[in-house]
Amino acid sequence: MVSYISEIKLKQGLRKVSAISVISLLLLSLFAFATFKVVSYVYNSSNSSELEAAISEYAITIKRKAQGEMRALRTLAMFTTKSDDITKTYSAVGTDNIPFEVVGFWNLDGSCEQVSISGARTDSHYMNLPSQVKVAISAAWLGRSAVSAPYYSPTIGSDILTYVAPVHATSGNVMGALSGVVSQSSFDNTLEQLSMVNQGLDTFLCTASGYIFSRGVNGILPRDTKYIADFKAFEGRTQDQIKAGLASKNPVHIETTINDKSFLITLTPLGFSDWYIGTISSNEFTQSPYFKSIMILIVSLVVIFTLCAFIAIYLFISMKSSYKTQLLIAHYDPVTSAYNYQKFLLEFSNIDYRTNTNSSYSVVSLNIHDFSYIQDVLGETQTDELLRIIARELRERDSVMMFCHHELDQFILMLRLRDQAEVDAEVRRIMELCCRHINIEVSTIPIVMYAGVAFTYPDLTPEKIVSRADFAKKQVSKSYTHAVRFYDENAYKKEAFLHSIEKSMRNALKNEEFKLFLQPKIDLATGKVYAAEALVRWISDSDVIVYPNDFIPLFEQNGFCTELDLYMFDKACARIRYYLDNGVEPIYYSINQTKLLIFQKGYTDKLRAIINKYNIPPKYLVIEVLEDLATHNVNELNNRINELKSLGLSIALDDFGSGYSSLNIVAGLDIDEIKFDREFLLAEDPEQIKKNHMILRVLSKLAKELGIRTVVEGVERNEDVEFLKSIDCDLAQGYYYDRPIPVEAFDKKYIFTDRDEIPPVKPLQAPADAPDAAAGASTDADAEAPAAAAADADAAVPAAQPEAQDATQDQPQEQSSGK
């Protein structure tokens, strides 16, 4: 039924729309002017502080890089007693972990043999060195690490720096010095990043004398300028201010004029040697990279609002036309003149695919990758033209029965094809044709399209078929090349399975469906159980086991792993209480904790509460943290480690070697145990096995010297055990000894070996006055040696029997997460 439309009301409404549009344009113009003034004021008042913050961040980065290279050299010096040791260290550590181009060993008589990363050896002497290097080597001979002032090397052909660290004999006396050469170009990338983030910013590194030894992007300061004070564009007063700034311990800002334009010079001390990071930037708002963006934004707002106003007026006038026009607007997309989504579903439902068994149709959901970015680059007008080109190409394809434009960049097509190969080829052909014409008629910006395909079935509604195509499309939404994905029932069921896991995880935790499994850690010196790693299995009420591989990645994404980790810590504490209640000396329990939980506020208090709940000595608990946590922020991680150790807990670094492994990680963390990744023992190539054994030998020796207990997982063969004994490794874990088993089976096999049945679990009795967790950790908890600490416990624990032959048949290997 067509409703009556009053022409008088339309005219009145039209006048109101026109008046509102004019007033809005005036207000928008005032807003644009006010925005410009406010932004200009804010920029001029905050530019200095924002720039200082950015420079400070990069200054810290450069300082950490220099300090990290110095720590790396000190670590190398621990393994070097003569020049021949350098080549051995290269082989053991790997050249990728050594930041120096050349490493030299300087004897006290001034002689030296230098070895490059490529293995080339050269001899040198103290007397032939530049004065900058002599000063640094002399300091190292006196027992102090030092870095030379930058100097030009004719051999390398660029400015270089030399780090020098003392080499101590067994007696503690200095027996020589170890030097490492780094090219100044290694600092250029950091400076270039600072320039790229802050467009129009000149950056450089210099010494207190003003000598420039590293540069970023320089458009103002000539690249051949050796000393900052030599830049002729600086006036005498500016040069005096620069000299004073290079003597200051705090950042200095200097305003100057170059070619009648205002610039800001900033000199910031790095706090490392006598280095400064310097910048030169425009001090005029109209020259800033924000000015043009603000103007484009303001103009875009005016243009868009003007277009919207005229479109509103046009639509209002069109309301006086016939019902046909209203119907056209209701059923067709105004940009592409294609069906809209509701019209498409209406026409879809009228097709005979439900009654005609010979019908051959497929539905395609087609999208453009990063369409929002394309909109920002091209603007509204060109984006609409892009969509119209796609609609035009679809109209011209005989295979396309009908289509609609839906939600920005989405097109839904119905093809007269059903063979998967033919559909795939046709959809890709459509993608190529659309991209080719867009690049010719609109813009050369790269266009990438992706699509999902679902076939029609009589028992499925149009909405369900489109939903299947959308689901298939989501599987390739992150592809950066043209991609076509067909609906896969198995993939759908997998997503549904993950959804069901996420839906039931909290009830499972409440119902204690997550079970504690244990895998023994064997003391290689005695062959007895020293500790056990706590692992989790999800066993539902129907006795179906869900392994960590199926739910841990999901829990790490949605954050539920934090609750599960605390739950497992509680279960481990309860088991230690159980041992104590039955007069048995507990073994050590290793519990993995995720990154999300370790850095969670109040984490330490939560562990303290659980320990107090069970009133147990915390010395029996070992918290395992993954190696990749240490690669982000060692200082922050150490702070958390110290908090945990204040409770009396021990800390283990898990899966060492699986990610970014370096000596700095071990040297920089206050840990009690290091657990080497299973990959060290799983290699099959003889040459790789030899390399892995060499690395394990060196790392084990380093851990011993640092007083860190060593564990190797993935032990599956007797030859693995013999090798680990030969390098004096402390503990071994793997299927050679036992697979992860339920806690009751573990106790029966390893703990209560002299009893026919294991004792029942007693109800938890809350202590009248529970001791503080920190107080409960006796001083000997940290001082005990691995073998001595478990001497009494091991006396009642039988030697572990190898079970590697059938372990892998029962359940999959543990993930590196340790769950």
Side-chain angles (χ1 to χ4, degrees):
M1 178 178 178
V2 180
S3 300
Y4 174 74
I5 299 175
S6 173
E7 185 176 353
I8 297 176
K9 290 184 178 180
L10 281 174
K11 290 182 178 180
Q12 291 175 346
L14 185 59
R15 293 191 192 100
K16 291 180 181 179
V17 171
S18 301
I20 292 173
S21 299
V22 172
I23 294 172
S24 299
L25 285 173
L26 291 175
L27 292 176
L28 186 61
S29 300
L30 292 174
F31 170 78
F33 178 77
T35 300
F36 176 82
K37 287 296 184 181
V38 171
V39 171
S40 177
Y41 172 77
V42 171
Y43 175 82
N44 289 327
S45 62
S46 65
N47 184 41
S48 296
S49 60
E50 292 179 357
L51 181 61
E52 183 176 353
I55 294 171
S56 176
E57 178 183 352
Y58 280 86
I60 292 173
T61 300
I62 294 173
K63 180 180 177 181
R64 285 179 178 171
K65 169 179 167 55
Q67 290 176 336
E69 291 170 345
M70 179 60 79
R71 285 196 300 269
L73 185 66
R74 292 195 193 106
T75 304
L76 291 176
M78 294 171 58
F79 299 96
T80 307
T81 57
K82 56 184 181 301
S83 59
D84 290 342
D85 291 342
I86 298 175
T87 303
K88 296 179 181 178
T89 305
Y90 280 175
S91 301
V93 177
T95 57
D96 292 340
N97 293 323
I98 299 177
F100 307 108
E101 298 181 11
V102 178
V103 178
F105 186 89
W106 298 87
N107 298 302
L108 296 179
D109 61 0
S111 61
C112 170
E113 183 174 358
Q114 302 181 91
V115 181
S116 67
I117 291 295
S118 62
R121 292 177 175 268
T122 57
D123 295 330
S124 184
H125 197 276
Y126 177 82
M127 298 307 295
N128 299 329
L129 296 176
S131 59
Q132 297 93 327
V133 184
K134 287 182 179 180
V135 172
I137 292 177
S138 298
W141 283 341
L142 294 176
R144 302 190 308 273
S145 299
V147 58
S148 73
Y151 62 96
Y152 180 79
S153 171
T155 304
I156 298 178
S158 63
D159 287 335
I160 62 174
L161 304 170
T162 299
Y163 296 89
V164 188
V167 177
H168 296 276
T170 306
S171 62
N173 296 328
V174 176
M175 61 181 294
L178 194 69
S179 66
V181 175
V182 176
S183 173
Q184 60 83 21
S185 61
S186 63
F187 294 92
D188 290 350
N189 290 337
T190 302
L191 295 180
E192 289 176 358
Q193 291 175 7
L194 177 57
S195 297
M196 291 173 65
V197 174
N198 300 270
Q199 297 181 8
L201 183 71
D202 277 21
T203 58
F204 58 89
L205 285 177
C206 67
T207 62
S209 65
Y211 177 73
I212 301 174
F213 63 92
S214 185
R215 308 166 188 272
V217 177
N218 296 94
I220 303 170
L221 186 68
R223 297 195 67 85
D224 59 353
T225 303
K226 289 295 184 181
Y227 287 86
I228 182 63
D230 291 344
F231 185 28
K232 296 180 180 180
F234 292 155
E235 301 173 353
R237 180 173 175 273
T238 301
Q239 293 179 347
D240 292 338
Q241 289 177 316
I242 290 174
K243 292 178 181 179
L246 292 175
S248 174
K249 300 299 182 182
N250 299 309
V252 175
H253 303 283
I254 303 169
E255 293 186 1
T256 187
T257 301
I258 301 175
N259 297 329
D260 298 327
K261 292 183 179 180
S262 177
F263 287 86
L264 180 67
I265 303 172
T266 303
L267 297 173
T268 304
L270 294 184
F272 181 83
S273 189
D274 63 342
W275 295 1
Y276 286 77
I277 182 172
T279 63
I280 303 176
S281 61
S282 174
N283 204 27
E284 297 179 356
F285 174 65
T286 56
Q287 299 298 319
S288 73
Y290 305 104
F291 178 75
K292 184 180 295 184
S293 299
I294 293 297
M295 293 305 298
I296 292 175
L297 175 61
I298 293 173
V299 172
S300 298
L301 286 173
V302 174
V303 171
I304 292 173
F305 191 84
T306 303
L307 289 174
C308 291
F310 281 109
I311 291 174
I313 294 172
Y314 172 77
L315 291 177
F316 227 92
I317 294 174
S318 299
M319 290 178 63
K320 294 185 299 180
S321 63
S322 65
Y323 170 78
K324 181 179 180 180
T325 303
Q326 296 183 38
L327 193 62
L328 183 68
I329 295 174
H331 285 174
Y332 291 85
D333 173 60
V335 176
T336 63
S337 298
Y339 285 163
N340 60 23
Y341 184 60
Q342 295 303 323
K343 176 65 173 176
F344 178 84
L345 292 179
L346 180 63
E347 295 296 327
F348 194 165
S349 62
N350 293 328
I351 296 177
D352 62 350
Y353 77 95
R354 289 189 169 185
T355 57
N356 186 358
T357 57
N358 296 323
S359 62
S360 299
Y361 306 118
S362 57
V363 174
V364 181
S365 179
L366 179 68
N367 278 77
I368 301 173
H369 185 72
D370 277 346
F371 184 73
S372 59
Y373 166 75
I374 295 173
Q375 278 186 311
D376 293 339
V377 173
L378 297 182
E380 183 180 1
T381 302
Q382 285 189 298
T383 302
D384 289 347
E385 182 62 27
L386 179 151
L387 296 173
R388 283 191 283 269
I389 290 174
I390 295 176
R392 184 188 70 199
E393 293 301 322
L394 294 177
R395 289 190 187 95
E396 295 177 356
R397 301 299 300 175
D398 294 335
S399 60
V400 179
M401 183 175 180
M402 64 178 181
F403 70 94
C404 74
H405 176 219
H406 179 51
E407 292 184 351
L408 297 178
D409 63 317
Q410 184 182 18
F411 288 85
I412 303 175
L413 298 59
M414 174 169 281
L415 301 182
R416 296 184 180 88
L417 299 171
R418 195 174 181 87
D419 180 77
Q420 182 166 324
E422 292 180 355
V423 173
D424 182 84
E426 179 62 13
V427 174
R428 292 181 183 277
R429 193 176 299 115
I430 290 173
M431 291 177 174
E432 292 294 339
L433 288 171
C434 290
C435 293
R436 183 190 308 166
H437 286 92
I438 289 170
N439 289 334
I440 294 174
E441 301 177 34
V442 179
S443 171
T444 58
I445 185 172
I447 301 294
V448 176
M449 307 182 80
Y450 59 101
V453 182
F455 296 115
T456 58
Y457 290 96
D459 57 337
L460 297 178
T461 64
E463 291 88 347
K464 184 65 175 178
I465 297 172
V466 173
S467 176
R468 285 189 168 192
D470 284 336
F471 174 81
K473 181 181 61 182
K474 290 179 182 178
Q475 310 304 309
V476 290
S477 61
K478 295 183 179 180
S479 173
Y480 286 87
T481 58
H482 292 323
V484 179
R485 182 68 174 262
F486 288 81
Y487 174 79
D488 182 2
E489 188 70 22
N490 292 330
Y492 180 80
K493 289 180 179 178
K494 181 179 180 180
E495 184 165 296
F497 170 70
L498 294 177
H499 179 72
S500 67
I501 285 179
E502 193 164 23
K503 186 177 180 181
S504 60
M505 62 187 184
R506 296 198 180 278
N507 284 334
L509 188 67
K510 180 180 179 181
N511 298 332
E512 297 192 352
E513 295 180 12
F514 294 101
K515 305 298 182 182
L516 179 65
F517 274 54
L518 298 175
Q519 186 175 28
K521 294 182 179 180
I522 305 301
D523 188 334
L524 288 170
T526 64
K528 298 178 180 179
V529 174
Y530 168 74
E533 181 175 4
L535 305 166
V536 64
R537 296 291 183 272
W538 185 352
I539 304 179
S540 66
D541 294 336
S542 58
D543 291 331
V544 176
I545 299 179
V546 184
Y547 290 102
N549 293 357
D550 295 324
F551 61 84
I552 290 300
L554 176 64
F555 288 177
E556 289 178 342
Q557 290 178 7
N558 62 24
F560 185 69
C561 57
T562 59
E563 298 180 43
L564 181 59
D565 282 354
L566 288 174
Y567 172 88
M568 292 299 295
F569 185 85
D570 184 282
K571 291 299 181 184
C573 291
R575 212 61 193 174
I576 293 175
R577 179 73 265 165
Y578 169 73
Y579 295 151
L580 294 172
D581 290 343
N582 288 280
V584 175
E585 177 73 16
I587 62 173
Y588 292 82
Y589 269 51
S590 296
I591 307 105
N592 182 271
Q593 303 282 269
T594 59
K595 174 182 178 181
L596 290 176
L597 182 58
I598 289 177
F599 291 113
Q600 189 181 80
K601 185 177 181 180
Y603 167 59
T604 307
D605 293 334
K606 293 177 182 177
L607 297 192
R608 179 186 289 109
I610 296 174
I611 293 172
N612 288 343
K613 171 185 174 183
Y614 292 99
N615 191 24
I616 61 173
K619 67 179 181 179
Y620 296 112
L621 298 168
V622 181
I623 299 298
E624 292 190 358
V625 298
L626 292 177
E627 175 206 25
D628 65 346
L629 268 68
T631 63
H632 300 293
N633 191 327
V634 174
N635 292 333
E636 185 177 355
L637 180 58
N638 256 333
N639 291 337
R640 289 306 174 112
I641 287 176
N642 290 333
E643 290 179 12
L644 295 175
K645 297 189 76 171
S646 70
L647 298 181
L649 304 173
S650 298
I651 307 300
L653 183 64
D654 193 13
D655 288 349
F656 185 79
S658 63
Y660 175 77
S661 304
S662 71
L663 300 177
N664 286 342
I665 291 179
V666 180
L669 293 178
D670 184 14
I671 58 176
D672 305 287
E673 177 178 296
I674 183 171
K675 190 173 183 181
F676 297 112
D677 187 71
R678 68 177 70 252
E679 295 301 324
F680 282 112
L681 297 181
L682 296 184
E684 297 182 357
D685 179 61
E687 188 64 28
Q688 187 62 46
I689 293 175
K690 182 178 179 181
K691 291 181 180 179
N692 287 353
H693 283 189
M694 183 182 301
I695 294 173
L696 276 177
R697 183 178 287 107
V698 172
L699 294 177
S700 180
K701 179 181 177 183
L702 172 61
K704 288 291 184 182
E705 293 185 2
L706 294 176
I708 299 174
R709 184 168 57 249
T710 55
V711 184
V712 177
E713 59 179 345
V715 178
E716 298 185 359
R717 301 167 298 188
N718 183 63
E719 49 264 38
D720 295 336
V721 176
E722 296 304 320
F723 167 71
L724 296 179
K725 289 180 179 180
S726 70
I727 63 173
D728 198 23
C729 180
D730 295 315
L731 306 176
Q733 176 183 351
Y735 284 166
Y736 177 79
Y737 296 105
D738 209 341
R739 65 186 184 276
I741 58 178
V743 64
E744 295 80 6
F746 182 92
D747 288 348
K748 184 176 182 180
K749 185 174 183 179
Y750 295 106
I751 306 300
F752 300 102
T753 57
D754 56 345
R755 309 186 193 184
D756 294 335
E757 295 183 358
I758 64 174
V761 177
K762 301 177 182 178
L764 178 65
Q765 299 293 330
D769 185 15
D772 183 75
S778 58
T779 56
D780 63 340
D782 295 327
E784 290 177 294
D792 295 336
D794 289 343
V797 180
Q801 298 300 318
E803 297 190 13
Q805 61 272 16
D806 64 346
T808 55
Q809 298 175 4
D810 294 332
Q811 63 187 66
Q813 288 275 14
E814 295 302 312
Q815 290 286 336
S816 60
S817 64
K819 300 291 184 185

